[in-house]
Amino acid sequence: MARKITPSAEHDSTRGRLLQAAGEVFAERGLRGATIEMICRKAGANIAAVNYHFGGKENLYYETIKWGRKCCAGMEELQAEELAKLTPRQALRRFVADYLRTLLSPRNPAWYFRLISREMAEPTPALDRFIREVIHTRRLCLAGVIERIAGGKLSARRLELIGSSIVGQCLFYNHCQTIVLRLRGKSAYEQTDVDELVEHITAFSLAAIKGFTT
Amino acid sequence: MARKITPSAEHDSTRGRLLQAAGEVFAERGLRGATIEMICRKAGANIAAVNYHFGGKENLYYETIKWGRKCCAGMEELQAEELAKLTPRQALRRFVADYLRTLLSPRNPAWYFRLISREMAEPTPALDRFIREVIHTRRLCLAGVIERIAGGKLSARRLELIGSSIVGQCLFYNHCQTIVLRLRGKSAYEQTDVDELVEHITAFSLAAIKGFTT
Amino acid sequence: MARKITPSAEHDSTRGRLLQAAGEVFAERGLRGATIEMICRKAGANIAAVNYHFGGKENLYYETIKWGRKCCAGMEELQAEELAKLTPRQALRRFVADYLRTLLSPRNPAWYFRLISREMAEPTPALDRFIREVIHTRRLCLAGVIERIAGGKLSARRLELIGSSIVGQCLFYNHCQTIVLRLRGKSAYEQTDVDELVEHITAFSLAAIKGFTT
Amino acid sequence: MARKITPSAEHDSTRGRLLQAAGEVFAERGLRGATIEMICRKAGANIAAVNYHFGGKENLYYETIKWGRKCCAGMEELQAEELAKLTPRQALRRFVADYLRTLLSPRNPAWYFRLISREMAEPTPALDRFIREVIHTRRLCLAGVIERIAGGKLSARRLELIGSSIVGQCLFYNHCQTIVLRLRGKSAYEQTDVDELVEHITAFSLAAIKGFTT
DNA sequence: AATGAATGAGCCTTCATTCAT
DNA sequence: GATGAATGAAGGCTCATTCAT
């Protein structure tokens, strides 16, 4: 999963450094809050570079999201195949583990998910793209796993609700990261802590699903 | 629950109208995205009014959050007492219902939770206050309910994790509101839909908790 | 004719000083060549004043033209009445004299005609207004004078052509001002020189008109 | 008259294409309004080409005018000789026809006269050159024609004034082109219309000159 | 208490020019 | 000879804040 983070071709060009810097700055301060001066400084580029390479701040924003998406791609396609090889319960654990690690890992374009998270509060056209390309796939994948666990006895709506319950549990640790870190200390998301979260969410959800099938 | 929304004394003074307007605008556009001009226009006040009454934009922001908090106050204290009178399972349902309705209702200072939600992405000193005054109370309250359901057999850490699972399920519908609305249509949060969500989350969580106690 | 140059109410307000300064600077450098910094410096105003009072550079431009128009107004209405009282030949002399003096006088909003002159090369929406409000009146007025001189024997097209010939002779000294000044020295447009031009153009045109009627 | 429009040697070199493109763009938008990027795009050249070949935008401007001048050269010398062969009245008609067609024709380096026209409003050093090399010749030429018509009875000043009256009538249709086109429709400058203008201006001027000699 | 006018800092963008290849 | 990348200066605009009334 955590493989090449940035297409190597871009990595050392000015354009590539701008994308990388933009991702981090946009994630931290949002489209409006980020200034192209910050981005260029971080990228070691001239302040006019953004307009030269991307034609404007807004366009850089979209290119950044598109690029972040590309960097994370491969995960979803891979996942569907791999999950099919596991037992239903293993598949759920694996789904939760992958998702949670993606959300919490400081690696990956870490900024990508923070960016999308911001899109929730203040949607831009980029969000539609994300829904079409990412959300749909993930929903189907998760629904498939749940169905296998339940043994096919649940309505589509129930599958959907259970999926939301599982995703919600994972997203909580991303969305409320700030609060969790303050309550449990800065080391709340170490490797072993994340393992514990995976175990808990998996167990919690399996038990819950069982409750709907008996 | 839905009681006095705004302390009546403030309601028609310039100062009060500014707070009300600021809450709505800040919630919609964030601290940075909101402009003093928008707020004053909405409040029907002069553009210098914010600095006159609050001494600056940032200070208005803090006062707005403080005021929003005050408008919602009373809920928590009330809740703790009421929950104690219910059976454990009823108490959980009630907790979820209150929480979800608070998060999704267009009433209440609807903007208050959107404001706090924004604080997650870009914390200001206001977040600390919120954690101290709101989160702690709610955590204890919820942990108590779970403990009563489980019958006292769970570790503190497990109580915490279960609490997060429940809160995460609720928050999902707030945090991913934009996506849910696009996927399920604009009427996804009608009265009956929220009822369905409450039922699902309660059932899901009860079954899960039972899984940890057997 | 040369009366109040600027509506006195505006004269000492920041807004009024901006209009005055803008007129001069726009006339000298054009819409694009003028910078709001130049204008504000000349008006003794802050650089943000233009946006505060007019909402942008372009809008200031239109307001400036509109205001310049207003400052010159009164001339046309007055003229038509006065001309009717004169003999045909006196009326032509008077028309030429008024027009030429307006074009060449350093008084009046001197910049107004330079602005309009620039509009010829690079029209903006302001030109349409000018045609509607000024040109039409002047054409009719001049055609009337010519008709009286000719004694009603000319076609409408001929009246038009003669009018253009007269206006063209006058405009020459405005349009080619730069060249004339270089060829005949800086004092080419003194009072007596302009008198000479008026006499010449009148005599030239009267003789020509006579040529069309015999 | 309409002969070689561009010295053929330049025509397909990058340098030549730049001059051609620059002429058109400068004529349309002025020195300041034209951007190097527009010119290079139109010339199909790299954005650095202007600085490479001409050492800067301003220098390109001067070279463009110089080149435009060269393209129109030959006309004047030719003219003087030809006019001498005609009767005085034919010579005037011919002068007006040539001048008007040059001013209005979309052929010739059409942009050359629009460029010079712009120089009137905002003179650059190029204007002095133009006066020295073009205006003087034309003045003398025209004065000669008038003198022949009048039969040598007029003062030098009168010749000058009459010359200005004739040139002014012609320039009108160039300078006020925008207005004429709006008033008489887009086809105001068709072949037959220009013929009509030539006839009118010639007749008007001949009659006027006659007025000064009797 | 309240307001309209005015200000200055900061930002995005354009554009002529330069540099390295 | 020619080019794509990069740069810095400058301009217009937004906006929180201050001032005078």
PDB file of all heavy atoms in Angstrom, chain D residues 159-173:
ATOM      1  N   LEU D 159      -1.867  78.898 -47.721  1.00  0.00           N
ATOM      2  CA  LEU D 159      -1.628  77.567 -48.287  1.00  0.00           C
ATOM      3  C   LEU D 159      -1.595  76.512 -47.181  1.00  0.00           C
ATOM      4  O   LEU D 159      -2.176  75.432 -47.303  1.00  0.00           O
ATOM      5  CB  LEU D 159      -0.292  77.557 -49.046  1.00  0.00           C
ATOM      6  CG  LEU D 159      -0.290  78.277 -50.397  1.00  0.00           C
ATOM      7  CD1 LEU D 159       1.123  78.253 -50.994  1.00  0.00           C
ATOM      8  CD2 LEU D 159      -1.258  77.586 -51.362  1.00  0.00           C
ATOM      9  N   GLU D 160      -0.922  76.873 -46.151  1.00  0.00           N
ATOM     10  CA  GLU D 160      -0.832  75.968 -44.993  1.00  0.00           C
ATOM     11  C   GLU D 160      -2.210  75.664 -44.421  1.00  0.00           C
ATOM     12  O   GLU D 160      -2.560  74.505 -44.159  1.00  0.00           O
ATOM     13  CB  GLU D 160       0.037  76.646 -43.933  1.00  0.00           C
ATOM     14  CG  GLU D 160       0.056  75.977 -42.585  1.00  0.00           C
ATOM     15  CD  GLU D 160       1.106  74.896 -42.524  1.00  0.00           C
ATOM     16  OE1 GLU D 160       2.099  75.005 -43.276  1.00  0.00           O
ATOM     17  OE2 GLU D 160       0.928  73.939 -41.752  1.00  0.00           O
ATOM     18  N   LEU D 161      -3.001  76.704 -44.244  1.00  0.00           N
ATOM     19  CA  LEU D 161      -4.338  76.518 -43.664  1.00  0.00           C
ATOM     20  C   LEU D 161      -5.228  75.679 -44.570  1.00  0.00           C
ATOM     21  O   LEU D 161      -5.966  74.801 -44.116  1.00  0.00           O
ATOM     22  CB  LEU D 161      -4.994  77.884 -43.404  1.00  0.00           C
ATOM     23  CG  LEU D 161      -4.401  78.692 -42.236  1.00  0.00           C
ATOM     24  CD1 LEU D 161      -4.899  80.134 -42.265  1.00  0.00           C
ATOM     25  CD2 LEU D 161      -4.766  78.025 -40.912  1.00  0.00           C
ATOM     26  N   ILE D 162      -5.159  75.952 -45.838  1.00  0.00           N
ATOM     27  CA  ILE D 162      -5.959  75.163 -46.776  1.00  0.00           C
ATOM     28  C   ILE D 162      -5.506  73.711 -46.761  1.00  0.00           C
ATOM     29  O   ILE D 162      -6.321  72.785 -46.735  1.00  0.00           O
ATOM     30  CB  ILE D 162      -5.850  75.748 -48.195  1.00  0.00           C
ATOM     31  CG1 ILE D 162      -6.507  77.140 -48.226  1.00  0.00           C
ATOM     32  CG2 ILE D 162      -6.526  74.819 -49.210  1.00  0.00           C
ATOM     33  CD1 ILE D 162      -6.355  77.853 -49.565  1.00  0.00           C
ATOM     34  N   GLY D 163      -4.204  73.528 -46.739  1.00  0.00           N
ATOM     35  CA  GLY D 163      -3.680  72.159 -46.645  1.00  0.00           C
ATOM     36  C   GLY D 163      -4.247  71.440 -45.425  1.00  0.00           C
ATOM     37  O   GLY D 163      -4.735  70.306 -45.514  1.00  0.00           O
ATOM     38  N   SER D 164      -4.233  72.134 -44.285  1.00  0.00           N
ATOM     39  CA  SER D 164      -4.768  71.525 -43.061  1.00  0.00           C
ATOM     40  C   SER D 164      -6.255  71.219 -43.213  1.00  0.00           C
ATOM     41  O   SER D 164      -6.753  70.208 -42.714  1.00  0.00           O
ATOM     42  CB  SER D 164      -4.553  72.469 -41.877  1.00  0.00           C
ATOM     43  OG  SER D 164      -3.172  72.653 -41.658  1.00  0.00           O
ATOM     44  N   SER D 165      -6.982  72.102 -43.899  1.00  0.00           N
ATOM     45  CA  SER D 165      -8.408  71.856 -44.091  1.00  0.00           C
ATOM     46  C   SER D 165      -8.630  70.583 -44.899  1.00  0.00           C
ATOM     47  O   SER D 165      -9.531  69.789 -44.615  1.00  0.00           O
ATOM     48  CB  SER D 165      -9.054  73.051 -44.799  1.00  0.00           C
ATOM     49  OG  SER D 165      -9.213  74.126 -43.889  1.00  0.00           O
ATOM     50  N   ILE D 166      -7.811  70.416 -45.914  1.00  0.00           N
ATOM     51  CA  ILE D 166      -7.962  69.218 -46.753  1.00  0.00           C
ATOM     52  C   ILE D 166      -7.563  67.960 -45.988  1.00  0.00           C
ATOM     53  O   ILE D 166      -8.296  66.968 -45.943  1.00  0.00           O
ATOM     54  CB  ILE D 166      -7.133  69.367 -48.038  1.00  0.00           C
ATOM     55  CG1 ILE D 166      -7.718  70.511 -48.880  1.00  0.00           C
ATOM     56  CG2 ILE D 166      -7.102  68.061 -48.823  1.00  0.00           C
ATOM     57  CD1 ILE D 166      -6.858  70.902 -50.058  1.00  0.00           C
ATOM     58  N   VAL D 167      -6.404  68.011 -45.361  1.00  0.00           N
ATOM     59  CA  VAL D 167      -5.949  66.847 -44.591  1.00  0.00           C
ATOM     60  C   VAL D 167      -6.938  66.535 -43.474  1.00  0.00           C
ATOM     61  O   VAL D 167      -7.260  65.369 -43.213  1.00  0.00           O
ATOM     62  CB  VAL D 167      -4.537  67.111 -44.035  1.00  0.00           C
ATOM     63  CG1 VAL D 167      -4.169  66.043 -43.012  1.00  0.00           C
ATOM     64  CG2 VAL D 167      -3.528  67.135 -45.169  1.00  0.00           C
ATOM     65  N   GLY D 168      -7.433  67.587 -42.825  1.00  0.00           N
ATOM     66  CA  GLY D 168      -8.398  67.382 -41.744  1.00  0.00           C
ATOM     67  C   GLY D 168      -9.635  66.647 -42.217  1.00  0.00           C
ATOM     68  O   GLY D 168     -10.127  65.737 -41.545  1.00  0.00           O
ATOM     69  N   GLN D 169     -10.138  67.034 -43.377  1.00  0.00           N
ATOM     70  CA  GLN D 169     -11.317  66.332 -43.909  1.00  0.00           C
ATOM     71  C   GLN D 169     -11.048  64.848 -44.122  1.00  0.00           C
ATOM     72  O   GLN D 169     -11.906  64.004 -43.852  1.00  0.00           O
ATOM     73  CB  GLN D 169     -11.748  66.968 -45.238  1.00  0.00           C
ATOM     74  CG  GLN D 169     -12.346  68.342 -45.106  1.00  0.00           C
ATOM     75  CD  GLN D 169     -12.682  68.916 -46.471  1.00  0.00           C
ATOM     76  OE1 GLN D 169     -13.678  68.527 -47.066  1.00  0.00           O
ATOM     77  NE2 GLN D 169     -11.849  69.819 -46.968  1.00  0.00           N
ATOM     78  N   CYS D 170      -9.853  64.536 -44.607  1.00  0.00           N
ATOM     79  CA  CYS D 170      -9.515  63.129 -44.845  1.00  0.00           C
ATOM     80  C   CYS D 170      -9.330  62.387 -43.529  1.00  0.00           C
ATOM     81  O   CYS D 170      -9.877  61.295 -43.311  1.00  0.00           O
ATOM     82  CB  CYS D 170      -8.241  63.023 -45.678  1.00  0.00           C
ATOM     83  SG  CYS D 170      -8.398  63.726 -47.325  1.00  0.00           S
ATOM     84  N   LEU D 171      -8.535  63.008 -42.647  1.00  0.00           N
ATOM     85  CA  LEU D 171      -8.232  62.345 -41.376  1.00  0.00           C
ATOM     86  C   LEU D 171      -9.496  62.034 -40.577  1.00  0.00           C
ATOM     87  O   LEU D 171      -9.551  61.056 -39.840  1.00  0.00           O
ATOM     88  CB  LEU D 171      -7.315  63.225 -40.541  1.00  0.00           C
ATOM     89  CG  LEU D 171      -5.818  63.070 -40.796  1.00  0.00           C
ATOM     90  CD1 LEU D 171      -5.034  64.038 -39.921  1.00  0.00           C
ATOM     91  CD2 LEU D 171      -5.391  61.637 -40.491  1.00  0.00           C
ATOM     92  N   PHE D 172     -10.485  62.908 -40.743  1.00  0.00           N
ATOM     93  CA  PHE D 172     -11.738  62.706 -40.008  1.00  0.00           C
ATOM     94  C   PHE D 172     -12.240  61.274 -40.148  1.00  0.00           C
ATOM     95  O   PHE D 172     -12.633  60.639 -39.179  1.00  0.00           O
ATOM     96  CB  PHE D 172     -12.803  63.679 -40.512  1.00  0.00           C
ATOM     97  CG  PHE D 172     -14.166  63.430 -39.944  1.00  0.00           C
ATOM     98  CD1 PHE D 172     -14.539  63.963 -38.730  1.00  0.00           C
ATOM     99  CD2 PHE D 172     -15.084  62.639 -40.626  1.00  0.00           C
ATOM    100  CE1 PHE D 172     -15.799  63.735 -38.197  1.00  0.00           C
ATOM    101  CE2 PHE D 172     -16.351  62.398 -40.103  1.00  0.00           C
ATOM    102  CZ  PHE D 172     -16.710  62.951 -38.885  1.00  0.00           C
ATOM    103  N   TYR D 173     -12.211  60.792 -41.374  1.00  0.00           N
ATOM    104  CA  TYR D 173     -12.778  59.452 -41.615  1.00  0.00           C
ATOM    105  C   TYR D 173     -11.906  58.343 -41.056  1.00  0.00           C
ATOM    106  O   TYR D 173     -12.365  57.222 -40.848  1.00  0.00           O
ATOM    107  CB  TYR D 173     -13.041  59.251 -43.107  1.00  0.00           C
ATOM    108  CG  TYR D 173     -14.130  60.173 -43.580  1.00  0.00           C
ATOM    109  CD1 TYR D 173     -13.828  61.392 -44.194  1.00  0.00           C
ATOM    110  CD2 TYR D 173     -15.459  59.865 -43.345  1.00  0.00           C
ATOM    111  CE1 TYR D 173     -14.831  62.261 -44.577  1.00  0.00           C
ATOM    112  CE2 TYR D 173     -16.476  60.722 -43.727  1.00  0.00           C
ATOM    113  CZ  TYR D 173     -16.159  61.921 -44.344  1.00  0.00           C
ATOM    114  OH  TYR D 173     -17.159  62.769 -44.712  1.00  0.00           O
TER     115      TYR D 173
END
